[in-house]
Amino acid sequence: MITMMWWGYSGMSGWGYALMGVSTVLFWGLLAAVIVLATRYVSRGVRTGASAPTPEELLAQRFARGEIGSEDYYAGLEVLRARHDHPIGR
């Protein structure tokens, strides 16, 4: 009788290989999802941490909300642009 050697046989059945394959795909999918979500969270934090609005932007927001009329808006804009320390008023 001839004895055959099964070198490299790990003893896993088809179910073992299937479970190993599915768990590997799940692991890499979860890792990719964590990286994407972390990137979105960090980029959202950078965007919301923007500098404070300029006086002209605040005036425009008040005008857009209807808090002030067009006369007040243009008068305020003229005052802001007439300031000596404002880059547009120079």
Side-chain angles (χ1 to χ4, degrees):
M1 180 182 279
I2 299 173
T3 305
M4 296 184 73
M5 299 284 197
W6 294 93
W7 300 108
Y9 178 68
S10 63
M12 276 200 309
S13 66
W15 288 107
Y17 285 113
L19 183 61
M20 182 176 60
V22 169
S23 64
T24 300
V25 170
L26 286 176
F27 170 76
W28 287 111
L30 181 66
L31 185 65
V34 166
I35 290 171
V36 167
L37 291 175
T39 304
R40 282 182 160 182
Y41 178 76
V42 168
S43 67
R44 183 184 64 183
V46 169
R47 246 181 307 185
T48 57
S51 62
T54 64
E56 288 180 2
E57 291 171 342
L58 289 174
L59 188 64
Q61 289 173 4
R62 290 186 63 200
F63 179 62
R65 285 192 299 260
E67 295 176 3
I68 59 174
S70 61
E71 296 89 18
D72 293 332
Y73 173 73
Y74 288 115
L77 200 57
E78 187 177 324
V79 168
L80 287 173
R81 289 185 175 169
R83 291 186 341 197
H84 296 292
D85 61 342
H86 195 274
I88 296 175
R90 289 183 183 172

Coordinates of all heavy atoms in Angstrom, one line a residue:
M1 N 0.8 -1.2 0.0 CA 0.0 0.0 0.0 C 0.9 1.2 0.0 O 1.9 1.3 0.7 CB -0.9 0.0 1.2 CG -1.8 1.2 1.2 SD -2.8 1.3 2.6 CE -4.1 0.3 2.3
I2 N 0.5 2.2 -0.8 CA 1.2 3.5 -0.9 C 0.6 4.5 0.0 O -0.6 4.7 -0.1 CB 1.3 4.0 -2.3 CG1 2.0 2.9 -3.2 CG2 2.0 5.3 -2.4 CD1 1.9 3.2 -4.6
T3 N 1.3 5.2 0.8 CA 0.8 6.2 1.7 C 1.1 7.6 1.0 O 2.2 7.8 0.6 CB 1.5 6.2 3.1 OG1 1.3 4.9 3.6 CG2 0.9 7.2 4.0
M4 N 0.0 8.4 0.9 CA 0.2 9.7 0.3 C 0.3 10.7 1.3 O -0.3 10.7 2.4 CB -1.0 10.0 -0.6 CG -1.1 9.1 -1.8 SD -2.5 9.5 -2.9 CE -1.8 10.9 -3.7
M5 N 1.2 11.7 1.1 CA 1.4 12.8 2.0 C 0.6 14.0 1.5 O 0.7 14.3 0.4 CB 2.9 13.1 2.1 CG 3.7 12.0 2.6 SD 3.5 11.9 4.3 CE 4.9 11.0 4.8
W6 N -0.2 14.6 2.4 CA -1.0 15.7 2.1 C -0.3 17.0 2.7 O -0.8 17.6 3.6 CB -2.4 15.6 2.6 CG -3.1 14.5 2.0 CD1 -3.2 13.2 2.4 CD2 -3.9 14.6 0.8 NE1 -4.0 12.5 1.5 CE2 -4.4 13.3 0.5 CE3 -4.1 15.6 -0.2 CZ2 -5.2 13.0 -0.6 CZ3 -4.9 15.3 -1.2 CH2 -5.4 14.0 -1.5
W7 N 0.8 17.4 2.1 CA 1.5 18.6 2.6 C 0.7 19.8 2.3 O 0.1 20.0 1.3 CB 2.8 18.7 1.9 CG 3.8 17.6 2.1 CD1 4.1 16.6 1.2 CD2 4.4 17.2 3.3 NE1 4.9 15.7 1.7 CE2 5.1 16.0 3.0 CE3 4.4 17.7 4.6 CZ2 5.9 15.4 4.0 CZ3 5.2 17.1 5.5 CH2 5.9 15.9 5.2
G8 N 0.6 20.7 3.3 CA -0.1 21.9 3.2 C -1.6 21.8 3.4 O -2.3 22.8 3.3
Y9 N -2.1 20.7 3.7 CA -3.6 20.5 3.9 C -3.9 21.0 5.4 O -3.4 20.5 6.3 CB -4.0 19.1 3.7 CG -5.5 18.9 4.0 CD1 -6.4 19.4 3.2 CD2 -5.9 18.1 5.1 CE1 -7.8 19.2 3.4 CE2 -7.2 17.9 5.4 CZ -8.2 18.5 4.5 OH -9.5 18.3 4.8
S10 N -4.7 22.0 5.5 CA -5.0 22.6 6.8 C -6.1 22.0 7.5 O -6.4 22.3 8.7 CB -5.3 24.1 6.7 OG -6.4 24.3 5.9
G11 N -6.9 21.1 6.9 CA -8.0 20.5 7.5 C -9.3 21.3 7.5 O -10.2 20.9 8.1
M12 N -9.3 22.5 6.8 CA -10.5 23.3 6.7 C -11.4 22.7 5.6 O -10.9 22.3 4.6 CB -10.2 24.7 6.4 CG -9.8 25.5 7.6 SD -10.0 27.3 7.4 CE -9.1 27.7 5.9
S13 N -12.7 22.8 5.9 CA -13.7 22.3 4.9 C -14.0 23.5 4.0 O -13.5 24.6 4.2 CB -14.9 21.8 5.6 OG -15.6 22.8 6.3
G14 N -14.9 23.3 3.1 CA -15.4 24.4 2.2 C -16.0 25.5 3.0 O -15.9 26.7 2.7
W15 N -16.7 25.2 4.1 CA -17.4 26.2 5.0 C -16.3 27.1 5.6 O -16.5 28.3 5.8 CB -18.3 25.6 6.0 CG -19.5 25.0 5.4 CD1 -19.8 23.7 5.2 CD2 -20.6 25.8 4.9 NE1 -21.0 23.6 4.6 CE2 -21.6 24.8 4.4 CE3 -20.9 27.1 4.8 CZ2 -22.8 25.2 3.9 CZ3 -22.1 27.5 4.2 CH2 -23.0 26.6 3.7
G16 N -15.2 26.5 6.0 CA -14.1 27.2 6.6 C -13.5 28.3 5.6 O -13.3 29.4 6.0
Y17 N -13.3 27.8 4.4 CA -12.8 28.7 3.4 C -13.8 29.8 3.1 O -13.4 31.0 2.8 CB -12.4 28.0 2.1 CG -11.1 27.2 2.3 CD1 -11.1 25.8 2.3 CD2 -9.9 27.9 2.5 CE1 -9.9 25.1 2.4 CE2 -8.7 27.2 2.6 CZ -8.7 25.8 2.6 OH -7.5 25.1 2.7
A18 N -15.1 29.5 3.0 CA -16.1 30.5 2.7 C -16.2 31.5 3.8 O -16.3 32.7 3.5 CB -17.5 29.8 2.5
L19 N -16.2 31.0 5.1 CA -16.2 32.0 6.2 C -15.0 32.9 6.2 O -15.1 34.1 6.5 CB -16.3 31.2 7.5 CG -16.4 32.0 8.8 CD1 -17.7 32.9 8.7 CD2 -16.4 31.1 10.0
M20 N -13.8 32.3 5.9 CA -12.6 33.1 5.8 C -12.7 34.2 4.7 O -12.3 35.3 4.9 CB -11.4 32.2 5.6 CG -10.1 33.0 5.6 SD -8.6 31.9 5.4 CE -8.9 31.1 3.8
G21 N -13.2 33.8 3.6 CA -13.4 34.8 2.5 C -14.3 35.9 2.8 O -14.1 37.0 2.5
V22 N -15.5 35.5 3.3 CA -16.5 36.5 3.7 C -16.0 37.4 4.8 O -16.2 38.7 4.7 CB -17.8 35.8 4.1 CG1 -18.8 36.8 4.7 CG2 -18.5 35.1 2.9
S23 N -15.3 36.9 5.8 CA -14.8 37.8 6.9 C -13.7 38.7 6.4 O -13.6 39.8 6.8 CB -14.3 36.9 8.0 OG -13.2 36.1 7.6
T24 N -12.9 38.3 5.4 CA -11.9 39.1 4.8 C -12.5 40.3 4.1 O -12.1 41.5 4.2 CB -11.0 38.3 3.9 OG1 -10.4 37.3 4.7 CG2 -9.9 39.2 3.3
V25 N -13.6 40.0 3.3 CA -14.2 41.1 2.5 C -14.9 42.0 3.5 O -14.9 43.3 3.3 CB -15.3 40.4 1.6 CG1 -16.2 41.5 1.0 CG2 -14.6 39.7 0.5
L26 N -15.6 41.5 4.5 CA -16.2 42.4 5.5 C -15.2 43.3 6.3 O -15.4 44.4 6.5 CB -17.0 41.6 6.5 CG -18.3 40.9 6.1 CD1 -18.9 40.1 7.1 CD2 -19.2 42.0 5.6
F27 N -14.0 42.7 6.6 CA -13.0 43.5 7.3 C -12.5 44.6 6.4 O -12.4 45.8 6.9 CB -11.8 42.6 7.6 CG -10.6 43.3 8.1 CD1 -10.5 43.9 9.3 CD2 -9.5 43.5 7.2 CE1 -9.4 44.6 9.8 CE2 -8.4 44.3 7.7 CZ -8.4 44.8 8.9
W28 N -12.2 44.4 5.1 CA -11.7 45.4 4.3 C -12.8 46.5 4.0 O -12.5 47.7 3.8 CB -11.1 44.9 3.0 CG -9.8 44.2 3.3 CD1 -9.5 42.9 3.2 CD2 -8.6 44.9 3.7 NE1 -8.2 42.7 3.6 CE2 -7.6 43.9 3.9 CE3 -8.2 46.2 3.9 CZ2 -6.3 44.1 4.3 CZ3 -6.9 46.5 4.4 CH2 -6.0 45.4 4.5
G29 N -14.0 46.0 3.8 CA -15.1 46.9 3.6 C -15.3 47.8 4.8 O -15.6 49.1 4.7
L30 N -15.3 47.3 6.0 CA -15.4 48.1 7.2 C -14.3 49.1 7.4 O -14.5 50.2 7.7 CB -15.4 47.1 8.5 CG -15.6 47.8 9.8 CD1 -17.0 48.5 9.9 CD2 -15.4 46.8 10.9
L31 N -13.1 48.6 7.0 CA -11.9 49.6 7.1 C -12.1 50.7 6.1 O -11.8 51.9 6.5 CB -10.6 48.8 6.8 CG -9.3 49.6 7.0 CD1 -9.1 50.0 8.4 CD2 -8.1 48.7 6.5
A32 N -12.5 50.4 4.9 CA -12.7 51.5 3.9 C -13.8 52.4 4.4 O -13.7 53.7 4.2 CB -13.1 50.9 2.6
A33 N -14.9 51.9 5.0 CA -16.0 52.8 5.4 C -15.5 53.7 6.6 O -15.9 54.9 6.6 CB -17.1 51.9 5.9
V34 N -14.7 53.2 7.5 CA -14.2 54.0 8.6 C -13.3 55.1 8.0 O -13.4 56.3 8.5 CB -13.4 53.1 9.6 CG1 -12.5 54.0 10.5 CG2 -14.3 52.2 10.3
I35 N -12.5 54.8 7.0 CA -11.6 55.8 6.4 C -12.4 56.9 5.7 O -12.2 58.1 5.9 CB -10.6 55.2 5.5 CG1 -9.6 54.4 6.3 CG2 -9.9 56.2 4.6 CD1 -8.6 53.5 5.4
V36 N -13.4 56.5 5.0 CA -14.3 57.5 4.3 C -15.0 58.4 5.3 O -15.1 59.6 5.2 CB -15.3 56.8 3.3 CG1 -16.4 57.7 2.9 CG2 -14.5 56.2 2.2
L37 N -15.6 57.8 6.3 CA -16.4 58.5 7.3 C -15.5 59.5 8.1 O -15.8 60.6 8.4 CB -17.1 57.6 8.2 CG -18.3 56.8 7.6 CD1 -18.9 55.8 8.6 CD2 -19.3 57.8 7.1
A38 N -14.3 59.0 8.4 CA -13.3 59.9 9.2 C -12.9 61.1 8.3 O -12.8 62.2 8.8 CB -12.1 59.1 9.6
T39 N -12.7 60.8 7.0 CA -12.3 61.9 6.1 C -13.4 62.9 6.0 O -13.2 64.1 6.0 CB -12.0 61.3 4.7 OG1 -10.9 60.4 4.9 CG2 -11.5 62.4 3.7
R40 N -14.7 62.4 5.8 CA -15.8 63.3 5.8 C -16.0 64.2 7.0 O -16.3 65.3 7.0 CB -17.1 62.6 5.5 CG -17.3 62.1 4.1 CD -18.6 61.4 4.0 NE -19.0 61.3 2.6 CZ -20.2 60.8 2.2 NH1 -21.0 60.3 3.1 NH2 -20.5 60.8 1.0
Y41 N -15.8 63.5 8.2 CA -15.9 64.2 9.5 C -14.9 65.3 9.6 O -15.2 66.4 10.0 CB -15.8 63.2 10.6 CG -15.9 63.9 12.0 CD1 -17.1 64.3 12.5 CD2 -14.8 64.1 12.7 CE1 -17.2 64.9 13.7 CE2 -14.8 64.7 14.0 CZ -16.1 65.1 14.5 OH -16.1 65.7 15.7
V42 N -13.7 65.0 9.2 CA -12.6 66.0 9.3 C -12.8 67.1 8.4 O -12.6 68.3 8.7 CB -11.2 65.3 9.1 CG1 -10.1 66.3 8.9 CG2 -10.9 64.4 10.3
S43 N -13.2 66.8 7.1 CA -13.4 67.9 6.1 C -14.6 68.7 6.5 O -14.6 69.9 6.2 CB -13.5 67.3 4.7 OG -14.7 66.6 4.6
R44 N -15.6 68.2 7.1 CA -16.8 69.0 7.5 C -16.3 69.9 8.7 O -16.8 71.0 8.7 CB -17.9 68.0 8.0 CG -19.1 68.8 8.4 CD -20.2 67.9 8.9 NE -19.7 67.3 10.2 CZ -20.3 66.5 10.9 NH1 -21.5 66.0 10.5 NH2 -19.8 66.0 12.0
G45 N -15.5 69.4 9.6 CA -15.0 70.3 10.7 C -14.2 71.4 10.2 O -14.3 72.5 10.7
V46 N -13.4 71.2 9.1 CA -12.6 72.3 8.6 C -13.5 73.3 7.9 O -13.3 74.5 8.0 CB -11.6 71.7 7.5 CG1 -10.9 72.8 6.8 CG2 -10.6 70.9 8.3
R47 N -14.5 72.9 7.2 CA -15.4 73.8 6.5 C -16.2 74.7 7.4 O -16.4 75.8 7.2 CB -16.4 73.0 5.6 CG -16.2 73.2 4.1 CD -17.2 72.5 3.4 NE -17.1 71.1 3.8 CZ -17.7 70.1 3.3 NH1 -18.6 70.2 2.4 NH2 -17.5 68.9 3.8
T48 N -16.7 74.1 8.5 CA -17.6 74.8 9.4 C -16.7 75.7 10.3 O -17.2 76.6 10.9 CB -18.4 73.9 10.3 OG1 -17.5 73.0 11.0 CG2 -19.4 73.1 9.5
G49 N -15.4 75.5 10.4 CA -14.6 76.4 11.2 C -14.1 77.5 10.4 O -13.0 78.1 10.6
A50 N -14.8 78.0 9.4 CA -14.4 79.1 8.6 C -14.4 80.4 9.4 O -14.9 80.5 10.5 CB -15.4 79.3 7.4
S51 N -13.7 81.4 8.8 CA -13.6 82.7 9.5 C -14.9 83.4 9.7 O -15.9 83.0 9.0 CB -12.6 83.6 8.8 OG -13.1 83.8 7.5
A52 N -15.0 84.3 10.5 CA -16.2 85.1 10.8 C -16.6 85.9 9.5 O -15.7 86.3 8.8 CB -16.1 86.0 12.0
P53 N -17.9 86.0 9.3 CA -18.3 86.8 8.1 C -17.9 88.3 8.2 O -17.8 88.8 9.3 CB -19.8 86.7 8.1 CG -20.2 86.2 9.4 CD -19.0 85.6 10.0
T54 N -17.6 88.9 7.1 CA -17.2 90.3 7.0 C -18.4 91.1 7.3 O -19.6 90.7 7.2 CB -16.6 90.6 5.6 OG1 -17.7 90.5 4.7 CG2 -15.4 89.7 5.3
P55 N -18.2 92.4 7.6 CA -19.4 93.3 7.9 C -20.3 93.4 6.6 O -21.5 93.5 6.8 CB -18.7 94.6 8.2 CG -17.4 94.3 8.8 CD -17.0 93.0 8.0
E56 N -19.7 93.4 5.4 CA -20.5 93.4 4.2 C -21.4 92.2 4.1 O -22.5 92.2 3.7 CB -19.6 93.6 3.0 CG -19.1 95.0 2.9 CD -18.2 95.2 1.7 OE1 -18.1 94.2 0.9 OE2 -17.6 96.3 1.5
E57 N -20.8 91.0 4.4 CA -21.6 89.8 4.4 C -22.7 89.8 5.4 O -23.8 89.3 5.1 CB -20.7 88.6 4.6 CG -19.7 88.3 3.5 CD -18.7 87.2 3.8 OE1 -18.5 86.9 5.0 OE2 -18.1 86.7 2.8
L58 N -22.5 90.3 6.6 CA -23.5 90.4 7.6 C -24.6 91.3 7.1 O -25.8 91.0 7.3 CB -22.9 90.9 8.9 CG -22.1 90.0 9.7 CD1 -21.4 90.7 10.9 CD2 -22.9 88.8 10.1
L59 N -24.3 92.4 6.5 CA -25.3 93.4 6.0 C -26.1 92.7 4.9 O -27.3 92.8 4.8 CB -24.5 94.6 5.4 CG -25.4 95.8 5.0 CD1 -26.2 96.4 6.2 CD2 -24.5 96.9 4.4
A60 N -25.4 92.0 4.0 CA -26.1 91.3 2.9 C -27.1 90.2 3.5 O -28.2 90.0 3.0 CB -25.1 90.6 2.0
Q61 N -26.7 89.5 4.5 CA -27.5 88.5 5.2 C -28.7 89.2 5.8 O -29.9 88.6 5.7 CB -26.7 87.7 6.2 CG -25.7 86.8 5.7 CD -24.8 86.2 6.7 OE1 -25.0 86.4 7.9 NE2 -23.8 85.4 6.3
R62 N -28.6 90.3 6.5 CA -29.7 91.0 7.0 C -30.7 91.4 6.0 O -31.9 91.4 6.1 CB -29.2 92.2 7.9 CG -28.5 91.8 9.2 CD -28.2 93.0 10.0 NE -29.4 93.6 10.4 CZ -29.5 94.9 10.9 NH1 -28.4 95.6 10.9 NH2 -30.6 95.4 11.2
F63 N -30.1 91.9 4.8 CA -31.0 92.3 3.7 C -31.7 91.1 3.1 O -32.9 91.2 2.8 CB -30.1 93.0 2.6 CG -30.8 93.5 1.4 CD1 -31.9 94.4 1.5 CD2 -30.6 93.0 0.2 CE1 -32.6 94.9 0.4 CE2 -31.3 93.4 -0.9 CZ -32.3 94.3 -0.8
A64 N -31.0 90.0 3.0 CA -31.7 88.8 2.4 C -32.8 88.3 3.4 O -33.8 87.8 2.9 CB -30.6 87.7 2.2
R65 N -32.6 88.4 4.7 CA -33.6 88.0 5.6 C -34.8 89.0 5.7 O -35.8 88.7 6.3 CB -33.0 87.8 7.0 CG -32.2 86.5 7.1 CD -31.8 86.2 8.5 NE -31.1 87.3 9.2 CZ -29.8 87.3 9.4 NH1 -29.0 86.3 9.0 NH2 -29.2 88.3 9.9
G66 N -34.7 90.1 5.1 CA -35.7 91.1 5.2 C -35.7 92.0 6.4 O -36.7 92.7 6.7
E67 N -34.6 92.0 7.2 CA -34.5 92.8 8.4 C -34.3 94.3 8.1 O -34.7 95.1 8.9 CB -33.4 92.3 9.3 CG -33.6 90.9 9.8 CD -32.4 90.4 10.6 OE1 -31.4 91.2 10.8 OE2 -32.4 89.2 11.0
I68 N -33.7 94.5 6.9 CA -33.5 95.9 6.5 C -33.9 96.1 5.1 O -34.0 95.1 4.3 CB -32.0 96.4 6.7 CG1 -31.1 95.5 5.8 CG2 -31.6 96.4 8.1 CD1 -29.6 95.9 5.8
G69 N -34.3 97.3 4.7 CA -34.7 97.5 3.3 C -33.5 97.9 2.4 O -32.4 97.9 2.9
S70 N -33.9 98.1 1.1 CA -32.8 98.4 0.2 C -32.1 99.7 0.5 O -30.9 99.8 0.3 CB -33.4 98.3 -1.2 OG -34.3 99.4 -1.4
E71 N -32.8 100.7 0.9 CA -32.2 102.0 1.3 C -31.2 101.8 2.4 O -30.0 102.3 2.3 CB -33.2 103.0 1.7 CG -34.2 103.4 0.6 CD -35.4 102.5 0.6 OE1 -35.7 101.8 1.6 OE2 -36.1 102.5 -0.4
D72 N -31.6 101.1 3.4 CA -30.6 100.8 4.5 C -29.4 100.0 4.1 O -28.3 100.2 4.5 CB -31.4 100.1 5.7 CG -32.4 101.0 6.3 OD1 -32.3 102.2 6.3 OD2 -33.4 100.4 6.8
Y73 N -29.7 99.0 3.2 CA -28.6 98.2 2.7 C -27.6 99.0 2.0 O -26.4 98.9 2.3 CB -29.2 97.0 1.9 CG -28.1 96.2 1.2 CD1 -27.3 95.4 1.9 CD2 -27.8 96.4 -0.2 CE1 -26.3 94.6 1.3 CE2 -26.8 95.7 -0.8 CZ -26.0 94.8 0.0 OH -25.0 94.1 -0.7
Y74 N -28.0 99.8 1.0 CA -27.1 100.5 0.2 C -26.4 101.7 1.0 O -25.2 102.0 0.8 CB -27.8 101.1 -1.0 CG -28.1 100.0 -2.0 CD1 -29.4 99.7 -2.4 CD2 -27.0 99.3 -2.7 CE1 -29.7 98.7 -3.3 CE2 -27.3 98.3 -3.6 CZ -28.6 98.0 -3.9 OH -28.9 97.0 -4.8
A75 N -27.1 102.2 2.0 CA -26.5 103.2 2.8 C -25.4 102.6 3.7 O -24.3 103.1 3.9 CB -27.6 103.9 3.7
G76 N -25.7 101.4 4.3 CA -24.8 100.7 5.1 C -23.6 100.3 4.3 O -22.4 100.4 4.7
L77 N -23.8 99.8 3.0 CA -22.7 99.4 2.2 C -21.8 100.6 1.8 O -20.6 100.5 1.8 CB -23.3 98.8 0.9 CG -22.4 97.9 0.0 CD1 -21.9 96.8 0.9 CD2 -23.2 97.4 -1.2
E78 N -22.4 101.8 1.6 CA -21.6 103.0 1.3 C -20.8 103.4 2.5 O -19.6 103.7 2.3 CB -22.6 104.1 0.9 CG -21.9 105.4 0.5 CD -22.9 106.4 0.0 OE1 -23.9 106.1 -0.5 OE2 -22.6 107.6 0.3
V79 N -21.3 103.3 3.7 CA -20.6 103.6 4.9 C -19.4 102.6 5.1 O -18.3 103.1 5.4 CB -21.5 103.6 6.1 CG1 -20.7 103.7 7.4 CG2 -22.5 104.7 6.1
L80 N -19.7 101.4 4.9 CA -18.6 100.4 5.1 C -17.5 100.6 4.0 O -16.3 100.4 4.4 CB -19.2 99.0 4.9 CG -20.0 98.5 6.1 CD1 -20.7 97.1 5.8 CD2 -19.2 98.4 7.4
R81 N -17.8 100.9 2.8 CA -16.8 101.0 1.8 C -16.1 102.4 1.9 O -15.0 102.5 1.3 CB -17.5 100.9 0.4 CG -17.8 99.5 0.2 CD -18.3 99.2 -1.2 NE -18.6 97.8 -1.4 CZ -19.2 97.3 -2.5 NH1 -19.7 98.1 -3.4 NH2 -19.4 96.0 -2.6
A82 N -16.6 103.3 2.6 CA -16.0 104.6 2.8 C -15.0 104.6 3.9 O -14.2 105.5 4.1 CB -17.0 105.7 3.1
R83 N -14.9 103.5 4.7 CA -14.0 103.5 5.8 C -12.6 103.4 5.2 O -12.3 102.9 4.2 CB -14.2 102.2 6.6 CG -15.4 102.2 7.4 CD -15.6 101.0 8.3 NE -14.7 99.9 7.9 CZ -14.8 98.7 8.4 NH1 -15.8 98.4 9.2 NH2 -14.0 97.7 8.0
H84 N -11.6 104.0 5.9 CA -10.3 104.1 5.4 C -9.5 102.8 5.6 O -8.6 102.6 4.9 CB -9.5 105.3 6.1 CG -10.1 106.6 5.8 ND1 -10.0 107.1 4.6 CD2 -10.8 107.5 6.6 CE1 -10.6 108.3 4.5 NE2 -11.1 108.6 5.8
D85 N -9.9 102.0 6.6 CA -9.2 100.8 6.8 C -9.7 99.6 6.0 O -9.3 98.5 6.1 CB -9.2 100.4 8.3 CG -10.6 100.2 8.9 OD1 -11.5 100.6 8.2 OD2 -10.7 99.6 9.9
H86 N -10.8 99.9 5.2 CA -11.4 98.8 4.4 C -10.6 98.7 3.1 O -10.4 99.7 2.4 CB -12.8 99.1 4.2 CG -13.6 97.9 3.7 ND1 -13.7 97.6 2.4 CD2 -14.3 97.0 4.4 CE1 -14.4 96.6 2.2 NE2 -14.8 96.1 3.4
P87 N -10.3 97.5 2.6 CA -9.5 97.4 1.4 C -10.2 97.9 0.1 O -9.6 98.5 -0.8 CB -9.2 95.9 1.2 CG -10.0 95.2 2.3 CD -10.5 96.2 3.2
I88 N -11.5 97.9 0.1 CA -12.3 98.3 -1.1 C -12.4 99.9 -1.0 O -12.4 100.5 -2.1 CB -13.6 97.7 -1.1 CG1 -13.5 96.2 -1.3 CG2 -14.5 98.3 -2.3 CD1 -14.8 95.4 -1.3
G89 N -12.4 100.5 0.1 CA -12.5 101.9 0.3 C -11.3 102.7 0.0 O -11.3 103.9 0.1
R90 N -10.2 102.1 -0.2 CA -8.9 102.7 -0.4 C -8.8 103.4 -1.7 O -9.2 103.0 -2.7 CB -7.7 101.8 -0.1 CG -7.6 101.5 1.3 CD -6.4 100.6 1.5 NE -6.3 100.3 3.0 CZ -5.5 99.4 3.5 NH1 -4.6 98.8 2.8 NH2 -5.5 99.2 4.8

